[in-house]
Every structure is written in C-alpha cells, then in structure tokens.
C-alpha cells in the first residue's frame, strides 16, 4: 500500500486514515515500509499532503526531524507547498506541528535563507485563507523557541511584518 501512494489518491487516503488511528507498532511498520518517503514523493497531491499531515500529527514515537530533513520535507519543499493552493493549508499545518515538537526542526527551517520571508509573505498574501491559523501557530512556535541564538534576523523580519499582518490576524480571530 505504501508503495502505491505516489500513484494512487486512494492509497494516500487509506494511509492517512491508518496513521490517524495507528498505534506505536503500526507507525514503526509503516515507517519501515517507506511511508514518509512515499508520501513526500506524492505531497503535491492533496490526499498525500493530508496523509502526511496526519502522520506528523499522530506519530508520537518519532521526533519531528524524521519528517523534516534533507531527505524528506526540506525548507525549500515546504516553501513551495505553502504557495500551492491545493496543498497550502496542509503545508501550513505540517509547519505548525513540526515547529511545536522539536527545536532542532525550528533551527533547521530558519537556517534556510528564504524560509522566514516565505512564511511572512504567505501570511500577507495567503493562497488559501485557511492557512493563516496554522501559519500564525508556526510563527509563534518559531518566535518563542527558547534556544534560537540565530533568531534575531527572523524576529526582526517578524516585527517589521506585524503592522500589515494585524488586519488579517483580526479577521482570523473573528
């Protein structure tokens, strides 16, 4: 089933449901079968993006760095997904979950030269209004990361971006 994911929307939906209800042993088995790589390969499809978001959300046996690294979800890939209407909201939820779990992932993401700018631009001009809530959550996770020593550029970008974001944040809270 895992190997069908890149070619089959149905396989992605089944996998998304499996990971939503999976126990620890099921996650280990699915990961060993190549779940992460298969879903990342198909992540531009909405069903695969949803299944991957479900896997990230429900996999409590592995750290976020298993999903967010140079062989899976890279900062460049996440930036691209944030701009693709069919998967933009799922990409934002992936970021919100990934940045809430592990500071190593936060460091990995913000070390990419355009990552913070892309997140802020997506908040200013979202391709899907539903991506705003998880982007705000991800921004908060990143801004409050306790071990960011190199976070000054990110914090500066965030502070200078807040005035134009304020009306959108107000809409989000209504």
């Amino acid at each position: 089933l895992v190997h069908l994911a890149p070619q089959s929307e149905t396989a992605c939906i089944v996998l998304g449901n499996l990971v939503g209800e999976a126990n620890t042993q099921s996650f280990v088995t699915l990961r060993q079968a190549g779940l992460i790589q298969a879903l990342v390969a198909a992540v531009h499809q909405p069903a695969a993006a949803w299944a991957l978001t479900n896997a990230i959300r429900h996999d409590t046996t592995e750290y976020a760095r298993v999903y967010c690294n140079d062989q899976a979800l890279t900062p460049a890939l996440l930036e691209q997904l944030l701009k693709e209407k069919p998967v933009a909201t799922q990409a934002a939820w992936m970021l919100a979950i990934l940045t809430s779990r592990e500071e190593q992932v936060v460091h990995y993401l913000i070390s990419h030269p355009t990552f913070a700018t892309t997140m802020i631009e997506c908040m200013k001009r979202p391709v899907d209004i539903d991506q705003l809530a998880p982007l705000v959550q991800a921004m908060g996770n990143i801004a409050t990361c306790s071990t960011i020593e190199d976070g000054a550029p990110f914090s500066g970008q965030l502070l200078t971006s807040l005035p134009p974001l304020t009306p959108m944040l107000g809409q989000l809270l209504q």
Side-chain angles (χ1 to χ4, degrees):
L1 185 62
V2 168
H3 300 294
L4 294 175
Q7 296 87 26
S8 170
E9 180 180 16
T10 303
C12 290
I13 292 169
V14 170
L15 286 169
N17 284 321
L18 279 173
V19 298
E21 302 295 325
N23 60 31
T24 302
Q25 185 56 44
S26 297
F27 265 109
V28 171
T29 303
L30 287 167
R31 271 195 314 278
Q32 289 172 343
L35 172 75
I36 298 168
Q37 296 81 1
L39 292 177
V40 169
V43 76
H44 296 278
Q45 301 171 30
W50 169 78
L52 187 56
T53 304
N54 243 6
I56 295 166
R57 178 179 291 121
H58 295 285
D59 188 350
T60 58
T61 63
E62 282 296 332
Y63 292 109
R65 67 179 166 256
V66 171
Y67 293 91
C68 191
N69 59 60
D70 290 339
Q71 288 75 44
L73 291 169
T74 65
L77 177 57
L78 285 164
E79 286 181 60
Q80 182 181 6
L81 296 172
L82 285 171
K83 298 174 188 176
E84 291 181 21
K85 179 128 176 85
V87 295
T89 299
Q90 289 301 324
W93 280 116
M94 287 179 212
L95 281 173
I97 299 161
L98 289 167
T99 58
S100 72
R101 282 208 180 157
E102 196 172 350
E103 291 183 354
Q104 181 179 349
V105 170
V106 172
H107 289 273
Y108 173 70
L109 292 171
I110 66 168
S111 70
H112 193 269
T114 59
F115 184 77
T117 304
T118 298
M119 281 189 69
I120 292 166
E121 286 305 311
C122 287
M123 288 182 70
K124 289 179 181 176
R125 288 178 271 304
V127 295
D128 186 335
I129 194 71
D130 292 335
Q131 79 182 129
L132 280 177
L135 281 175
V136 169
Q137 183 179 344
M139 285 286 191
N141 294 341
I142 294 168
T144 59
C145 183
S146 64
T147 62
I148 294 182
E149 295 159 6
D150 53 351
F154 175 82
S155 298
Q157 277 184 300
L158 184 58
L159 287 175
T160 59
S161 298
L162 283 178
L165 293 176
T166 303
M168 275 188 266
L169 294 174
Q171 287 177 337
L172 186 63
L173 295 173
Q174 290 180 356

